[in-house]
Amino acid sequence: MADLKSMKGVSEKDRKLIEEAESLLGAEPTSMGFIKNIFWGNLREDLLFPYPDVIGKERPGEVAECDQLLATLETYLKTEHPSIQIDQEQETPRWVIDRLFEMGVLGMTIPKEHGGLGMGITSYNRVLELIGKYCGSTAVIVSAHQSIGCKAVMLFGTDEQKSRWLPKLAREWLSAFCLSEPNVGCDAGGQETHCEVSEDGSHYILNGEKKWATSGALSGMFTVMAKQKLEGGKEKVTALVCTPDMDGIDIFQKNRSKCGIRGTWQARIRFTDVKVPKENLLHKEGKGLNVALTCLNYGRCTLSAGMLGGAKRAMDQAIKWSQTRHQFQRPLSDFELVRQKVARMGAYTYAMDAVLYATTGFLDRHDEDIMVETAVCKTFCSEYGYRVVNDAVQIMGGESYMTENEVERIFRDSRINLIVEGANEVMQSFVFAYGGKQLAESMLAVQDAVGWNSDEGFGKNLGRIAKNMTRGPVIKAATPLGIELFLGIRRKAPKLNSVHESLRPVGERLCRWIQQHSYEFKQASKRYREAIVHRQAVQARIADSAILLHAWACTLSRLDREIREGHEGPEFERNKAAAMHFFDIAELEIQRLVRRELYVNADDTMLSTAESMLSHNESLANEDFIIPERSPVAQGTGRNPNQDAIKQFPGDRYGGTPYVPSHQSEA
């Protein structure tokens, strides 16, 4: 297979970026997942039809157990949980965390033999969705603990490590995931925290600083990512487990006041010559990013579940408001532009639900190639969930801005989801690059075999092309590709055979757009050649097309299941109408992206305007602006923000005493 790094004309900077990305992702899975097949123009209906539901089919007892937990949890959330207090006071009382442990919520996915409930990913996300309806902060605390905090031990820990830590994590300890740093956000491989093996080989010596560690000041265990120099001098990331009582660990900032999810505490932690026992190594040396990226697959789902819960709550509130608020002697719901928002909210939430639980089905089924699918789940649910909440705010008008009506809190809590667990812009480039990587490499191999190389002489080109055109595999790959690229004749659209007869027209539309998506990916690759590596606006259009096609397929499969199971009544009619509206919305959006904006866009003036804006901003004095604290070009030159009126959170050296919130200790 050809190597993307070898593409002619790729800059050294882009070549290094591709190399680092390949190193992070590791070897390609042996079989391609649903979205990678979309890039090839294929529809792997066996992966999505029927709708994946491992828990419901194989563990029906768990469904009943989860239903019971949800009923208990919702009673607590409705009658006791201090959502407004948590937001206003910017901290979650310890008694809330203790209640969540008592109910089993914070140990849901931990195996029963270690004190947890042993539930699957789908059940866990059902709980996160419910919590997200009532309190975004609590949803994040639960998600950070189980999806990324202790998930690393569950997936990569030895039997001894699991026996040592999981019982505590199931019943009393929160856990924190220490990946981000002052200079490390989406660039997970850029760790500046370092570890090295001690001279006697008994422990690691850990030095560095971590930022944004959710619940770090409250946690009994940290999973820490650090660079380690391995044999041969190459540096790779290693995952270590630390506990806050280790000498050299300083939680020097418990939290900062922020816009949303105000009841979560993101700690800053400094590690100074911390001695971490060798038995605290997770997985293998140099495999830390594999640990981190695997855990993020789960975190991206639970983020989506919390967002889905918040979106549904805001939607239901806004619809009720539209029916009971009168203006001009009519309810708001009589007006077509309000109805447009109501329909759009219904379409988006049904599709989000379908995407989320299809993805948890993939995870419960242990599908091999799901990294693109989890990235798409996060991107779709965060973007379209935020749109739902925004529509709800607009429908409720000024009252939506009032704190006691709670939509205002959902609005603030939702915004972070477009940033964390991989900013959506990074996810778009990832979906494009990793989703289309194998197809791009196949196209490059054909180009290398039979394409004209301007660096070679006439005779050498002719000899290479003539030789390769006699090889069967080359002809088999090159002929349909050439017909598609140079004659514009698309390959045959895939078929969807497993859908209910009443939905076949929708399935046929989906198949035609999968055909078109693959064609446009190939044409864009031909048009931009090596420049496609940095043309992110182009990448985003193609990625968004893939995201919408996947959402369309998930929604179709979900509706197909409801029809086959004989659902009926007002709720089913609502779901069916919402799904059909989503198919229309998705089709219009895909058409705009790949039929129009790939060819007619404002990219040239965008790029020139951006250049002018950036040049002008260079002339503005740094001291008037906030500058990144570890900027490699301007560190220390910005202004210090005035925090006099902002609530400050003390930092302290952990002394082994469980954290008690201030209002409890005062009482």
Side-chain angles (χ1 to χ4, degrees):
M1 184 68 74
D3 189 341
L4 294 176
K5 299 188 297 296
S6 68
M7 278 192 299
K8 183 183 173 185
V10 173
S11 70
E12 190 55 38
K13 190 194 306 186
D14 287 336
R15 200 183 311 279
K16 189 170 185 299
L17 188 68
I18 295 170
E19 184 178 350
E20 288 176 351
E22 290 177 342
S23 174
L24 281 177
L25 295 169
E28 288 280 359
T30 55
S31 64
M32 289 190 296
F34 191 85
I35 296 173
K36 286 180 182 176
N37 270 279
I38 287 176
F39 278 86
W40 285 80
N42 301 327
L43 191 157
R44 277 206 53 193
E45 57 184 301
D46 61 302
L47 294 177
L48 197 51
F49 294 85
Y51 192 77
D53 181 19
V54 174
I55 302 300
K57 290 176 183 174
E58 297 182 6
R59 291 149 63 182
E62 180 178 315
V63 176
E65 186 182 355
C66 186
D67 287 344
Q68 187 174 357
L69 175 61
L70 288 167
T72 302
L73 178 61
E74 185 155 32
T75 299
Y76 159 75
L77 290 168
K78 279 183 173 180
T79 60
E80 296 180 61
H81 189 70
S83 303
I84 296 175
Q85 176 192 326
I86 286 170
D87 180 64
Q88 293 296 301
E89 296 187 4
Q90 303 185 56
E91 61 180 333
T92 299
R94 180 72 213 191
W95 70 263
V96 169
I97 294 170
D98 290 341
R99 284 296 301 276
L100 294 171
F101 272 120
E102 287 168 16
M103 284 186 278
V105 169
L106 284 164
M108 272 196 75
T109 59
I110 294 174
K112 291 184 178 181
E113 61 265 30
H114 296 301
L117 299 183
M119 290 191 183
I121 306 305
T122 297
S123 300
Y124 172 41
N125 278 269
R126 290 179 67 200
V127 168
L128 260 295
E129 180 190 338
L130 178 62
I131 297 173
K133 283 186 177 181
Y134 292 91
C135 184
S137 291
T138 305
V140 171
I141 289 173
V142 175
S143 173
H145 170 61
Q146 284 189 91
S147 300
I148 54 178
C150 63
K151 195 69 178 179
V153 176
M154 292 170 58
L155 293 173
F156 297 99
T158 63
D159 289 342
E160 188 277 329
Q161 288 172 333
K162 291 175 183 177
S163 297
R164 186 170 15 140
W165 291 316
L166 289 182
K168 288 281 190 184
L169 295 169
R171 300 190 193 104
E172 55 183 291
W173 283 2
L174 286 177
S175 56
F177 193 69
C178 299
L179 176 65
S180 298
E181 300 182 4
N183 234 8
V184 176
C186 292
D187 180 12
Q191 301 292 307
E192 294 177 353
T193 296
H194 272 76
C195 68
E196 58 183 20
V197 180
S198 62
E199 287 186 10
D200 64 4
S202 66
H203 59 270
Y204 297 93
I205 301 171
L206 178 66
N207 283 281
E209 182 183 318
K210 294 295 179 178
K211 189 177 183 181
W212 311 126
T214 296
S215 302
L218 319 177
S219 295
M221 192 198 84
F222 311 139
T223 302
V224 184
M225 301 297 153
K227 278 276 181 73
Q228 180 185 3
K229 189 174 285 187
L230 301 175
E231 240 179 275
K234 196 168 178 88
E235 285 194 326
K236 290 197 171 183
V237 177
T238 291
L240 301 173
V241 172
C242 298
T243 51
D245 57 342
M246 290 178 174
D247 288 337
I249 293 181
D250 182 17
I251 302 170
F252 66 95
Q253 187 175 56
K254 289 179 180 176
N255 189 31
R256 288 164 66 189
S257 185
K258 51 192 176 288
C259 170
I261 56 167
R262 288 157 64 89
T264 65
W265 279 26
Q266 284 73 37
R268 296 190 69 164
I269 308 172
R270 189 176 292 120
F271 302 89
T272 306
D273 293 331
V274 179
K275 294 179 180 179
V276 184
K278 284 293 288 286
E279 55 266 28
N280 285 26
L281 168 69
L282 270 182
H283 198 22
K284 298 175 182 176
E285 291 183 344
K287 295 291 186 180
L289 280 178
N290 181 242
V291 173
L293 293 174
T294 302
C295 290
L296 286 174
N297 285 331
Y298 298 88
R300 286 171 179 158
C301 285
T302 48
L303 177 151
S304 302
M307 179 72 258
L308 175 60
K312 284 183 176 179
R313 175 86 169 194
M315 174 186 71
D316 288 343
Q317 171 60 63
I319 293 174
K320 184 64 71 177
W321 188 270
S322 76
Q323 293 169 312
T324 54
R325 165 72 166 164
H326 282 60
Q327 289 288 278
F328 309 104
Q329 293 81 49
R330 299 163 64 186
L332 295 182
S333 57
D334 270 9
F335 295 95
E336 189 170 273
L337 287 178
V338 173
R339 288 183 170 232
Q340 182 186 50
K341 290 178 176 60
V342 168
R344 190 162 58 203
M345 291 190 298
Y348 288 165
T349 52
Y350 186 82
M352 288 166 63
D353 196 297
V355 170
L356 170 62
Y357 290 109
T359 311
T360 64
F362 299 152
L363 287 165
D364 278 326
R365 200 168 60 189
H366 306 295
D367 284 11
E368 183 186 12
D369 189 19
I370 45 79
M371 197 176 290
V372 183
E373 283 71 18
T374 60
V376 163
C377 180
K378 182 268 174 185
T379 308
F380 181 79
C381 290
S382 63
E383 171 63 35
Y384 286 84
Y386 188 67
R387 293 186 192 185
V388 170
V389 177
N390 195 53
D391 277 344
V393 168
Q394 193 68 19
I395 288 173
M396 288 185 66
E399 282 292 339
S400 70
Y401 237 53
M402 300 300 106
T403 301
E404 68 270 18
N405 290 330
E406 301 189 33
V407 170
E408 170 264 353
R409 187 179 73 244
I410 298 173
F411 183 69
R412 287 187 288 105
D413 287 347
S414 298
R415 186 59 183 85
I416 192 65
N417 293 327
L418 285 76
I419 299 169
V420 294
E421 305 283 9
N424 282 7
E425 292 79 5
V426 175
M427 292 296 94
Q428 286 171 313
S429 289
F430 174 73
V431 170
F432 171 86
Y434 194 50
K437 181 174 180 284
Q438 287 169 303
L439 175 56
E441 288 175 339
S442 175
M443 293 171 63
L444 186 60
V446 171
Q447 168 67 26
D448 289 346
V450 297
W452 195 267
N453 187 339
S454 57
D455 291 338
E456 294 179 355
F458 179 82
K460 193 169 182 180
N461 265 301
L462 201 60
R464 172 177 50 80
I465 293 170
K467 177 185 174 184
N468 285 323
M469 285 304 289
T470 63
R471 295 171 57 202
V474 174
I475 296 171
K476 186 177 179 182
T479 302
L481 182 61
I483 290 172
E484 200 162 2
L485 289 177
F486 298 103
L487 299 180
I489 300 174
R490 294 147 181 76
R491 59 171 288 178
K492 193 175 179 181
K495 294 282 188 186
L496 178 54
N497 300 307
S498 304
V499 73
H500 190 269
E501 185 176 355
S502 66
L503 297 175
R504 281 183 186 168
V506 179
E508 288 169 2
R509 287 161 58 194
L510 170 64
C511 290
R512 287 196 295 272
W513 281 111
I514 289 174
Q515 174 197 44
Q516 186 72 23
H517 172 82
S518 181
Y519 172 79
E520 297 297 355
F521 175 83
K522 294 166 190 168
Q523 287 291 350
S525 300
K526 170 176 170 277
R527 189 179 320 125
Y528 292 99
R529 299 179 65 84
E530 64 275 0
I532 195 72
V533 172
H534 57 79
R535 291 302 302 272
Q536 289 187 316
V538 177
Q539 294 176 15
R541 294 179 187 113
I542 294 172
D544 286 347
S545 168
I547 289 168
L548 285 162
L549 287 168
H550 181 65
W552 184 333
C554 293
T555 304
L556 181 59
S557 179
R558 182 64 169 265
L559 181 59
D560 174 76
R561 185 181 75 172
E562 291 188 22
I563 291 172
R564 291 180 187 278
E565 290 178 351
H567 290 216
E568 55 186 19
E571 185 175 346
F572 169 70
E573 293 303 326
R574 179 202 65 178
N575 290 347
K576 183 178 178 182
M580 299 305 288
H581 187 46
F582 178 74
F583 301 142
D584 285 350
I585 292 174
E587 185 165 28
L588 289 169
E589 186 76 358
I590 295 166
Q591 186 176 54
R592 176 184 65 80
L593 289 164
V594 299
R595 280 265 180 88
R596 294 202 294 273
E597 287 192 11
L598 275 179
Y599 297 93
V600 180
N601 53 59
D603 288 359
D604 289 343
T605 53
M606 176 271 289
L607 290 169
S608 62
T609 302
E611 189 63 41
S612 297
M613 298 289 289
L614 292 164
S615 296
H616 172 263
N617 201 269
E618 285 281 0
S619 69
L620 305 180
N622 283 4
E623 57 262 30
D624 291 335
F625 300 93
I626 309 296
I627 299 294
E629 61 182 291
R630 297 286 177 85
S631 168
V633 295
Q635 184 174 343
T637 64
R639 72 174 176 86
N640 291 321
N642 185 337
Q643 300 187 64
D644 293 345
I646 297 174
K647 182 174 180 178
Q648 300 301 307
F649 300 84
D652 62 354
R653 176 76 168 78
Y654 184 92
T657 304
Y659 164 74
V660 179
S662 57
H663 72 272
Q664 276 201 342
S665 59
E666 289 166 4

